[in-house]
Amino acid sequence: MSSKVTIHEVARMSGVSIKTVSRVLNREANVKSDTRIRVQEAVAALNYRPNISARSLAGSKAYLIGVFFDNPSPAYVTDVQLGAIARCREEGYHLIVEPLDSEGDVASQVQPMLATLRMDGVILTPPVCDNVAVLDVLEAEGVPYVRLSPDRDVDRSANVRMDDSRAAYEMTAHLIGLGHTDIGFIKGHPDHGAAHLRYEGYVKAMTEHGHPVRDDRVEQGWFSFRSGFEAAERLLSGDDRPTAIFASNDDMALGVMAVANRLRLEVPQTLSVAGFDDTPGAKVVWPQLTTVRQPIQAMAAAAADLLLNGEASGDAETPPSRLLDFQLVVRESTGPAPKG
Amino acid sequence: MSSKVTIHEVARMSGVSIKTVSRVLNREANVKSDTRIRVQEAVAALNYRPNISARSLAGSKAYLIGVFFDNPSPAYVTDVQLGAIARCREEGYHLIVEPLDSEGDVASQVQPMLATLRMDGVILTPPVCDNVAVLDVLEAEGVPYVRLSPDRDVDRSANVRMDDSRAAYEMTAHLIGLGHTDIGFIKGHPDHGAAHLRYEGYVKAMTEHGHPVRDDRVEQGWFSFRSGFEAAERLLSGDDRPTAIFASNDDMALGVMAVANRLRLEVPQTLSVAGFDDTPGAKVVWPQLTTVRQPIQAMAAAAADLLLNGEASGDAETPPSRLLDFQLVVRESTGPAPKG
DNA sequence: TAAGGCCATGACAGCCTTGTCAAAGCGACC
DNA sequence: GGTCGCTTTGACAAGGCTGTCATGGCCTTA
């Protein structure tokens, strides 16, 4: 088709000035409705689309939102992208993805990019969202940003989070509801704030229901399959073992399942296993894993929303924060506690 | 810092014209080397970065490469992004990601996007890379594109592929090398060209090594966990069963492992299992899966390369194509054939 | 020495849109 | 009829950069 239709041609075709076409395109007020319609018809007829470069050069918006990540979980990353784009498309914005290499000097990777692209906003996923150098650069360049599930300095800037503590509480309560009283727990990487929150939720649920939190039932893990595997070996060796294990993420829970498998402990008849995150792996194992789903797409959409509606611009005294609901996904890896 | 440094200031600081600064930035010839150095120093001192909008408005490049996908596999998608960005960064290009919804009218989603952004090129992943409507729009808009692992009309345009047939051949040969002669095969989704190629490689290896391809050892699958599970149930029920199963992707192989697990068939002592793709799930099961790794990042980088060096521009009579090497990943799910 | 050619550089227009500001249109009211 | 105040519209500059073309210096060649 048309290699390049400009606003000029639309103006000529509809018999108004370029500026009026611009007004219609930008949904500005004070355009007579029949003028508006005439222009819209011309736009449709010529199949005209405004040139984003010219637009951002002339105006103040770039129509670009950045997504910065350095995340080992592809599923998380794509969910963020899908959620963000869903909201962005409504307003004609596009997504620029920038994988960061946190091994290197992240700030120096970010500054040039911000200076060239002049994006309207940036969404930061963990762990980049806790990289102070990156935040500093963003603020220096005056680019609004929203952090997803930040760990540190939560009040520093706009963010979107999930209630990890309450989710862990409810998962624990779910197990207790199934009759378990002796529930093992595998902690996550101590550098991640979420790890602490999840542990907190577990402790709270156990305590409130009158079950002791035994030291030898809590193992340190690192969010990896291997660490879950090793923690499970410690928890499950010998005859005195818990009837359920709640791992603070799915990868570790899968490690637990592997050990159970090896030891011929039937899941969930002999041992219930619960995870956290609802990664793709959770559906691939057998039996499928009971876990907690973060509404990642919704969180990303909320982040995009904060950016697009201007709330994240950093002028408010209290940065906006949105807390989204999680979802307990009960599948086959948890069941009633064995009798006796 | 500097809210916006323009090329003008660099020109003043280094005592040359704006145009000369532009020449230095674009690595053009015919600039005296001490002039070049002076300019570069000024650029560094002012921390100047060219404004991408102004650049693309004035020039012919947009410095943007698009990645279109509608891919159920997040791992694949992020690998593509990582590979593409690695090559793009070398030349100051950025990545725009556009998830497509192939349920809807894809072409009409794509055209406006191409018209507004005027990207310099687009990378298409399966299955979008086989959507003729999308290809038509790209060509109509004159946007160069590269397809990753296309199935149909392979010669229509630039593409990057892997030798699926040979990979399947080598995996089968690997099993034969371990002493297996009775090897089951689970085919992939018949709409995917790769499914046929993989089957072809299996047949070729069996035949060349003098082993029969028994009809009751080949099952139709659909690339899903469930279809692998069901195919394995058919292959493994009864006493007359193969000593190895080669599933044409990992998800199905995981289904096989689940069945083996249920039937108490030890992997790999009693049954060897091989997959294809090296998805994250392959490392999460126990024992870890022997599989074939596609060099996805390298393929995406090759695609970006074709775009950036102009080979994909569609002017050559034969569209360029790159065939990359796969990698056999031997882990614990395959072992010597049981004796007797 | 004059003519021709190449290299290095700069002046200026143009890319397509938005922002500013002024002007024109319109209705109502005194 | 004239004035005021509002809505609607347009002329023009500006945004930061690259493309085109012209200029001047210097080297080569006859």
Side-chain angles (χ1 to χ4, degrees):
Chain A
M1 312 224 174
S2 41
S3 176
K4 36 173 163 176
V5 184
T6 71
I7 197 173
H8 201 94
E9 306 172 39
V10 178
R12 252 206 351 219
M13 180 163 181
S14 46
V16 298
S17 75
I18 289 180
K19 179 62 205 183
T20 299
V21 176
S22 171
R23 273 190 268 258
V24 172
L25 293 172
N26 293 293
R27 296 199 188 81
E28 287 175 29
N30 297 339
V31 178
K32 248 198 309 193
S33 81
D34 66 328
T35 310
R36 182 184 304 276
I37 289 170
R38 217 155 9 107
V39 170
Q40 284 166 337
E41 283 169 352
V43 167
L46 296 170
N47 203 13
Y48 163 77
R49 310 288 163 193
N51 177 316
I52 206 171
S53 301
R55 232 166 143 151
S56 57
L57 183 59
S60 50
K61 310 184 228 169
Y63 295 93
L64 293 177
I65 296 290
V67 174
F68 291 3
F69 63 92
D70 174 23
N71 195 304
S73 161
Y76 184 88
V77 170
T78 46
D79 266 349
V80 168
Q81 295 178 1
L82 291 172
I85 202 99
R87 181 70 183 81
C88 285
R89 283 209 175 136
E90 296 170 5
E91 319 230 350
Y93 280 68
H94 295 268
L95 228 55
I96 295 264
V97 299
E98 293 289 347
L100 258 34
D101 174 18
S102 36
E103 300 303 302
D105 176 3
V106 185
S108 75
Q109 299 170 52
V110 170
Q111 194 277 335
M113 169 196 319
L114 293 177
T116 28
L117 287 171
R118 304 198 182 283
M119 310 181 248
D120 304 300
V122 170
I123 296 174
L124 300 174
T125 69
V128 223
C129 65
D130 290 308
N131 186 314
V132 178
V134 172
L135 307 190
D136 287 344
V137 173
L138 282 160
E139 286 167 19
E141 295 284 331
V143 179
Y145 64 91
V146 176
R147 298 191 286 159
L148 291 181
S149 309
D151 263 3
R152 9 190 335 155
D153 284 330
V154 172
D155 296 330
R156 172 168 178 170
S157 38
N159 60 75
V160 177
R161 288 171 299 141
M162 196 201 70
D163 197 336
D164 280 87
S165 172
R166 203 161 67 79
Y169 177 94
E170 298 211 352
M171 177 61 85
T172 311
H174 158 72
L175 292 167
I176 292 171
L178 287 167
H180 297 272
T181 58
D182 186 355
I183 303 172
F185 188 85
I186 305 179
K187 293 170 153 183
H189 196 299
D191 286 359
H192 289 36
H196 301 293
L197 294 171
R198 292 173 193 181
Y199 179 58
E200 194 178 294
Y202 159 79
V203 171
K204 185 161 175 240
M206 291 296 276
T207 310
E208 283 189 6
H209 289 81
H211 305 309
V213 174
R214 291 169 49 180
D215 269 4
D216 61 338
R217 290 301 193 240
V218 177
E219 290 285 342
Q220 181 68 54
W222 308 89
F223 278 149
S224 66
F225 177 82
R226 171 149 299 277
S227 71
F229 191 96
E230 290 167 358
E233 280 182 327
R234 292 191 294 271
L235 286 168
L236 298 175
S237 66
D239 286 337
D240 174 36
R241 46 179 158 66
T243 63
I245 294 182
F246 179 12
S248 34
N249 81 345
D250 283 359
D251 283 354
M252 297 195 300
L254 294 176
V256 176
M257 305 254 298
V259 171
N261 213 326
R262 262 194 168 169
L263 297 176
R264 292 273 145 93
L265 298 174
E266 286 202 281
V267 176
Q269 292 79 354
T270 313
L271 180 74
S272 284
V273 180
F276 204 114
D277 283 347
D278 196 28
T279 54
K283 269 172 299 193
V284 156
V285 287
W286 192 89
Q288 299 190 353
L289 195 62
T290 292
T291 184
V292 173
R293 171 146 63 228
Q294 286 200 57
I296 301 177
Q297 294 199 18
M299 290 171 75
D305 189 56
L306 287 173
L307 253 14
L308 296 182
N309 72 19
E311 286 183 60
S313 301
D315 29 85
E317 56 298 337
T318 311
S321 176
R322 308 246 256 243
L323 201 64
L324 269 67
D325 263 352
F326 56 87
Q327 190 184 342
L328 215 66
V329 181
V330 177
R331 290 198 273 245
E332 295 99 48
S333 70
T334 51
K339 323 241 186 231
Chain B
M1 314 230 172
S2 42
S3 176
K4 36 174 162 176
V5 185
T6 72
I7 198 174
H8 202 94
E9 305 171 39
V10 178
R12 253 203 353 219
M13 180 164 181
S14 45
V16 298
S17 74
I18 288 181
K19 179 64 206 183
T20 299
V21 177
S22 170
R23 273 191 268 259
V24 172
L25 293 173
N26 293 292
R27 295 198 188 82
E28 289 176 28
N30 300 337
V31 178
K32 250 199 305 194
S33 81
D34 66 327
T35 310
R36 184 183 302 278
I37 290 168
R38 216 152 14 101
V39 170
Q40 284 165 338
E41 284 169 352
V43 167
L46 295 170
N47 201 14
Y48 164 77
R49 309 290 162 193
N51 177 315
I52 206 172
S53 300
R55 234 156 122 134
S56 55
L57 183 58
S60 51
K61 310 183 231 171
Y63 295 92
L64 292 178
I65 296 290
V67 175
F68 291 3
F69 64 92
D70 175 23
N71 196 305
S73 161
Y76 184 89
V77 170
T78 46
D79 266 350
V80 168
Q81 295 178 2
L82 291 172
I85 202 97
R87 179 72 184 79
C88 286
R89 283 213 173 131
E90 295 170 7
E91 320 229 351
Y93 281 67
H94 295 268
L95 227 55
I96 296 265
V97 299
E98 293 289 349
L100 258 34
D101 175 19
S102 35
E103 300 303 302
D105 176 3
V106 185
S108 73
Q109 299 170 53
V110 169
Q111 194 276 337
M113 170 195 319
L114 293 177
T116 28
L117 288 171
R118 304 195 184 284
M119 310 180 247
D120 304 298
V122 169
I123 297 174
L124 300 174
T125 69
V128 223
C129 65
D130 290 308
N131 186 315
V132 178
V134 172
L135 306 189
D136 287 344
V137 173
L138 282 159
E139 287 168 20
E141 295 285 329
V143 179
Y145 64 90
V146 176
R147 297 191 287 158
L148 291 181
S149 310
D151 262 4
R152 7 187 340 153
D153 284 330
V154 172
D155 297 329
R156 171 167 178 171
S157 38
N159 61 75
V160 177
R161 287 171 300 141
M162 196 200 71
D163 197 336
D164 279 86
S165 171
R166 202 162 67 79
Y169 177 95
E170 298 211 353
M171 178 60 86
T172 311
H174 158 72
L175 291 168
I176 293 170
L178 287 168
H180 298 273
T181 58
D182 186 356
I183 303 172
F185 188 86
I186 305 178
K187 293 170 155 183
H189 196 298
D191 286 359
H192 288 35
H196 302 293
L197 294 170
R198 291 173 193 180
Y199 178 58
E200 192 180 294
Y202 158 78
V203 171
K204 185 164 175 233
M206 292 296 276
T207 310
E208 281 189 9
H209 289 82
H211 303 310
V213 175
R214 290 169 49 181
D215 269 5
D216 61 338
R217 291 301 192 238
V218 176
E219 289 285 343
Q220 181 66 55
W222 308 89
F223 278 150
S224 66
F225 177 81
R226 171 150 299 276
S227 71
F229 191 96
E230 290 167 356
E233 280 183 327
R234 293 190 293 271
L235 287 168
L236 297 175
S237 65
D239 285 339
D240 173 36
R241 46 178 158 69
T243 63
I245 294 181
F246 178 13
S248 33
N249 81 343
D250 283 0
D251 283 354
M252 296 195 299
L254 294 176
V256 175
M257 304 253 298
V259 171
N261 211 327
R262 262 194 167 168
L263 298 176
R264 291 272 145 96
L265 299 173
E266 284 203 281
V267 176
Q269 292 79 355
T270 312
L271 179 75
S272 284
V273 179
F276 204 113
D277 285 346
D278 197 27
T279 53
K283 270 172 299 194
V284 155
V285 287
W286 190 87
Q288 299 190 352
L289 196 61
T290 291
T291 184
V292 173
R293 170 145 62 225
Q294 285 200 59
I296 301 177
Q297 293 199 19
M299 291 171 73
D305 189 56
L306 287 173
L307 255 14
L308 297 182
N309 73 18
E311 286 183 60
S313 301
D315 29 84
E317 56 297 337
T318 312
S321 176
R322 308 247 256 244
L323 201 64
L324 268 65
D325 264 351
F326 57 87
Q327 192 185 341
L328 216 66
V329 182
V330 177
R331 290 197 274 244
E332 295 100 47
S333 69
T334 52
K339 321 246 189 232

